[in-house]
């Protein structure tokens, strides 16, 4: 076979996504991060990008932050601009499902292609260092007295911390429809609001607040896990008599309209990335729990999560 014919054949196979990973190592991945810098999706996407390069399955990774509406703005851009692109990925998670339920955006997650769930994480609620409150019990007492006077700060409407706040209100006998929830477009904005004392209570994944907790700038008062987090001396809500448990998870989707072969290739790329040293270091640094689930199993999981979250949100008066 002539060299030019061989190279054209390679190019055709690469375009179809059917070359082995070793032959497709030099792909330029485009990563949609549907949130502002500084939050969980941003951290996850950039860690995955590094891992893709560390694993040798991507030559470069470019990132596009597009925050707002619990990821729906970024989702819309991803759906509309990445059709058929076999090298495009979008970070998403439980927060996006909640945002779709509450916001009813014109785009739908089903328009994109499920690739894999990557991690799971539980939320922590914190007080600003100068807060007059000292514990979750004191916050709950005020919540019962006047629900609107307790200002909860966190991610977009429908985020896991928003749902958890409504669940806490319902569990302690307060009206969840009256909670005063302040939504921020990204983790960086929420963190600034908590540090500045502009909210009563802040909520997010533990990894996002860990450094501020360690420095004494935030006081943790409860985690949303069933049992205490490993190496974290913070009581669960259940320990404090509040029957609430809710987890957060994050994953990645591919572009609309890619072929089954291209989807398999993306899954294989991400699978190789999460086995890299860079990804293992990210898990350790951020306190993420590995939660690998890929392809059709991941798609089924998302469908079930959507139904479960909607039921929880209806019970909590959020929709």
């Amino acid at each position: 076979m002539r060299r030019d014919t061989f190279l054209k054949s390679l190019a055709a196979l690469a375009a179809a996504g059917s070359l082995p990973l070793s032959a497709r190592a030099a792909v330029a991945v485009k990563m949609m991060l549907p949130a502002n810098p500084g939050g969980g999706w941003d951290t996850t996407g950039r860690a995955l990008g590094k891992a893709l390069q560390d694993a040798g399955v991507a030559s470069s990774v470019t990132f596009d932050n597009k925050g707002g509406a619990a990821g729906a703005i970024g989702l819309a851009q991803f759906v509309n601009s990445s059709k058929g692109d076999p090298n495009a990925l979008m970070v998403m998670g439980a927060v996006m499902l909640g945002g779709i339920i509450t916001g009813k955006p014109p785009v739908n997650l089903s328009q994109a292609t499920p690739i894999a769930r990557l991690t799971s994480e539980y939320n922590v609620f914190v007080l600003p260092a100068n807060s007059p409150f000292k514990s979750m019990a004191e916050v709950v007492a005020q919540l019962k007295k006047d629900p609107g006077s307790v200002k909860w700060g966190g991610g977009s409407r429908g985020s896991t911390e928003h749902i958890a706040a409504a669940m806490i209100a319902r569990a302690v006998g307060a009206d969840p429809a009256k909670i005063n929830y302040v939504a921020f477009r990204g983790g960086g904005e929420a963190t600034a609001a908590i540090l500045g004392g502009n909210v009563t209570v802040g909520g997010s994944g533990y990894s996002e607040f860990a450094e501020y907790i360690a420095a004494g700038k935030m006081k943790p008062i409860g985690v949303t896990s069933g049992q205490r987090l490993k190496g974290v001396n913070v009581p669960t809500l259940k320990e404090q008599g509040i029957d609430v448990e809710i987890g957060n998870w994050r994953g990645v989707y591919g572009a609309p309209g890619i072929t089954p072969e291209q989807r398999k290739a993306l899954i294989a790329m991400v699978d190789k990335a999460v086995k890299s040293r860079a990804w293992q270091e990210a898990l350790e640094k951020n306190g993420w729990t590995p939660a690998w689930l890929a392809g059709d199993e991941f798609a089924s999981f998302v469908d079930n999560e959507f139904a479960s979250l909607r039921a929880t949100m209806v019970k909590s008066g959020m929709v």
Side-chain angles (χ1 to χ4, degrees), residues 12-315:
L13 285 169
S18 54
L19 276 176
L21 285 175
S22 58
R24 292 191 301 110
V27 266
V29 173
K30 287 166 276 186
M31 186 95 65
M32 166 57 70
L33 307 175
N36 288 349
W41 286 348
D42 182 70
T43 306
T44 300
R46 291 179 189 277
L48 179 61
K50 186 176 186 303
L52 286 165
Q53 291 176 282
D54 190 62
V57 292
S59 60
S60 65
V61 182
T62 55
F63 303 98
D64 186 6
N65 284 89
K66 190 67 65 174
I73 294 174
L75 171 63
Q77 180 172 311
F78 184 74
V79 165
N80 293 325
S81 66
S82 300
K83 290 176 183 175
D85 187 342
N87 299 323
L89 287 171
M90 177 190 71
V91 177
M92 50 74 68
V95 172
M96 184 174 283
L97 304 193
I100 289 171
I101 293 167
T102 58
K104 302 178 180 64
V107 290
N108 197 295
L109 195 54
S110 64
Q111 293 171 259
T113 306
I115 300 299
R117 185 182 67 187
L118 303 174
T119 62
S120 66
E121 185 178 25
Y122 288 98
N123 286 48
V124 62
F125 284 106
V126 299
L127 299 171
N130 62 352
S131 172
F133 300 110
K134 303 301 178 190
S135 66
M136 180 61 78
E138 292 183 11
V139 172
V140 164
Q142 183 63 29
L143 185 68
K144 289 179 176 179
K145 187 189 301 182
D146 181 4
S149 67
V150 177
K151 191 183 289 185
W152 303 81
S156 303
R157 280 183 53 80
S159 64
T160 49
E161 54 267 30
H162 185 191
I163 297 168
M167 291 172 72
I168 289 170
R170 183 169 178 266
V172 302
D175 185 350
K178 292 182 178 179
I179 65 166
N180 182 2
Y181 185 80
V182 182
F184 294 94
R185 289 165 62 93
E189 292 179 16
T191 296
I194 297 161
L195 293 174
N198 297 319
V199 295
T200 311
V201 188
S204 189
Y206 191 88
S207 63
E208 292 183 45
F209 290 162
E211 65 177 290
Y212 304 103
I213 292 171
K217 295 179 180 179
M218 295 180 183
K219 178 178 173 58
I221 56 173
V223 292
T224 62
S225 52
Q227 299 178 335
R228 289 199 183 198
L229 301 178
K230 184 179 178 182
V232 176
N233 188 28
V234 181
T236 67
L237 295 173
K238 287 190 170 185
E239 277 182 68
Q240 302 177 72
I242 305 168
D243 190 18
V244 170
E245 179 181 345
I246 183 171
N248 194 2
W249 55 268
R250 299 185 182 109
V252 284
Y253 266 53
I258 60 174
T259 67
E261 291 75 21
Q262 289 168 339
R263 183 194 190 197
K264 286 178 185 176
L266 271 180
I267 291 171
M269 283 176 64
V270 176
D271 183 36
K272 194 166 183 182
V274 300
K275 291 172 181 172
S276 71
R277 176 175 293 183
W279 185 253
Q280 299 309 309
E281 289 173 351
L283 293 176
E284 181 71 23
K285 177 184 176 183
N286 295 292
W288 295 333
T289 300
W292 178 260
L293 193 66
D296 290 342
E297 288 184 332
F298 176 49
S300 296
F301 166 80
V302 171
D303 289 342
N304 292 335
E305 275 285 289
F306 192 90
S308 176
L309 271 179
R310 182 173 179 80
T312 297
M313 293 165 80
V314 168
K315 286 180 183 177

